Amino acid sequence: MKIPAYWSKATATETDRKGKECSFTCWRSSEISESDARESALAAAKRALQRFLAGGEPPGRYSYGETPLREEVVQRLNDGEGKPFAAVTRNSYGVLVLNTARAMFIDLDFPLATVGESLKHVFVRLFNNSALSPEERRAQETLERLKSFVSARRGWSVRVYRTCAGLRCLVTHDLFDPASDETMDHLRSVGADPLYVRLCKAQECFRARLTPKPWRCRADRISVKWPRDADEQKQFEAWLAGYDSRAAGYSTCHFLGASGGDAVHPEVAKLIELHDAFTKCGDKLSLA
């Protein structure tokens, strides 16, 4: 599980052959100290800048998930041996995310309905009030696909939640290596988002959003990123007060029930309690 404790940025500056000053800034992380992260960042910035000055391509952005995600660590959970098995972080747009080393979360988004499907539904409802909407039909199809997936795997137990845009699954009967080929096969077979699958493998963890997205609960967008200096921290705290006030009236997901058996691994049981409390999945609140 790649959840670094420290982050720092550094800038390397050199003069090119034409006498023009060039610079490149890089972020890097460390589990040792902030100064170690800074040294690593400076070394990376120098390497990137030297490659560019030698005729290479301009330094670009990292592909999604290729490096640890720069997120504030809000809480760490350790096992009996003191090893972390989960962490709560705050992501780039300000919401809390549960990262798990071995408990498999799977998000299944419902495909969006086309304009044609929506218009057809309006016409059909003129003659049949009970006809399912395109969204309802896709939700039903996704749930049926999930049930078939679970039933084909003997001994599996899965908790199923409804999210604003689809289903969230938490596999409870056992623990999984997020970077293994077997796990990748499971995620692809059930239809998990390809970006999420890639992120699980690269970050060596599973992820589940715990709190509502700001734009879904009419909260302002966060304007500062972590790590924050003193002024940015004040801005963040003001934003957080407004966000928390708005988010209080929403759930992140609703618990629908279990699929398969009812087995729950002890490590997963601890995470169910945390996840369900943060997401307010048992409350009759709008999803966001």
Side-chain angles (χ1 to χ4, degrees):
M1 189 169 63
K2 297 178 180 178
I3 310 291
Y6 304 96
W7 282 91
S8 185
K9 67 177 178 179
T11 301
T13 303
E14 289 190 27
T15 302
D16 65 14
R17 297 171 184 173
K18 298 180 180 180
K20 182 180 178 180
E21 190 176 81
C22 299
S23 63
F24 180 61
T25 300
C26 185
W27 282 93
R28 281 294 184 270
S29 61
S30 171
E31 289 291 352
I32 301 173
S33 66
E34 186 175 345
S35 61
D36 183 63
R38 189 176 301 112
E39 290 178 8
S40 178
L42 181 58
K46 286 180 177 178
R47 288 194 300 271
L49 185 55
Q50 288 167 1
R51 283 196 300 270
F52 172 64
L53 293 176
E57 291 292 323
R61 303 185 107 190
Y62 297 113
S63 297
Y64 182 60
E66 285 187 4
T67 61
L69 300 176
R70 181 155 52 95
E71 298 180 346
E72 178 183 12
V73 179
V74 177
Q75 181 182 358
R76 290 184 187 269
L77 290 81
N78 297 332
D79 59 22
E81 298 178 356
K83 297 179 181 179
F85 67 88
V88 177
T89 60
R90 191 176 297 280
N91 76 5
S92 61
Y93 53 86
V95 308
L96 297 179
V97 177
L98 176 59
N99 305 262
T100 63
R102 298 177 287 264
M104 185 193 289
F105 278 99
I106 309 170
D107 274 351
L108 303 174
D109 290 339
F110 299 151
L112 296 176
T114 65
V115 174
E117 288 175 319
S118 298
L119 292 175
K120 181 180 179 181
H121 174 66
V122 172
F123 178 77
V124 171
R125 283 294 294 268
L126 294 174
F127 304 96
N128 182 5
N129 282 332
S130 62
L132 294 177
S133 69
E135 291 78 11
E136 291 170 331
R137 188 170 65 253
R138 278 168 166 59
Q140 189 178 73
E141 291 169 352
T142 303
L143 187 56
E144 290 302 318
R145 187 173 75 246
L146 172 63
K147 289 180 178 178
S148 296
F149 171 84
V150 174
S151 64
R153 286 156 176 79
R154 184 178 179 182
W156 273 51
S157 302
V158 179
R159 285 174 67 86
V160 185
Y161 302 83
R162 178 69 161 88
T163 64
C164 189
L167 299 178
R168 170 175 297 172
C169 312
L170 172 57
V171 183
T172 65
H173 69 283
D174 203 356
L175 303 178
F176 296 82
D177 176 358
S180 73
D181 291 340
E182 181 184 25
T183 296
M184 295 296 104
D185 288 342
H186 288 318
L187 293 175
R188 294 188 185 103
S189 295
V190 76
D193 177 63
L195 280 178
Y196 176 72
V197 176
R198 195 170 78 195
L199 185 66
C200 288
K201 187 176 182 68
Q203 299 296 315
E204 299 175 6
C205 70
F206 303 98
R207 284 166 64 89
R209 180 170 55 85
L210 295 176
T211 53
K213 291 183 176 180
W215 52 92
R216 287 182 180 162
C217 59
R218 295 174 297 168
D220 293 335
R221 301 271 184 145
I222 193 169
S223 60
V224 295
K225 295 185 178 182
W226 189 86
R228 301 178 284 269
D229 61 25
D231 288 338
E232 290 172 336
Q233 182 63 25
K234 291 179 182 178
Q235 294 177 52
F236 166 74
E237 290 172 359
W239 172 86
L240 184 61
Y243 167 74
D244 283 346
S245 176
R246 293 282 190 179
Y250 294 85
S251 295
T252 306
C253 59
H254 291 155
F255 179 59
L256 299 181
S259 181
D262 56 4
V264 180
H265 189 281
E267 183 172 303
V268 180
K270 298 176 184 177
L271 296 173
I272 291 173
E273 183 177 357
L274 182 150
H275 171 273
D276 290 5
F278 269 103
T279 60
K280 295 182 282 192
C281 66
D283 297 345
K284 302 295 183 179
L285 300 173
S286 298
L287 293 171

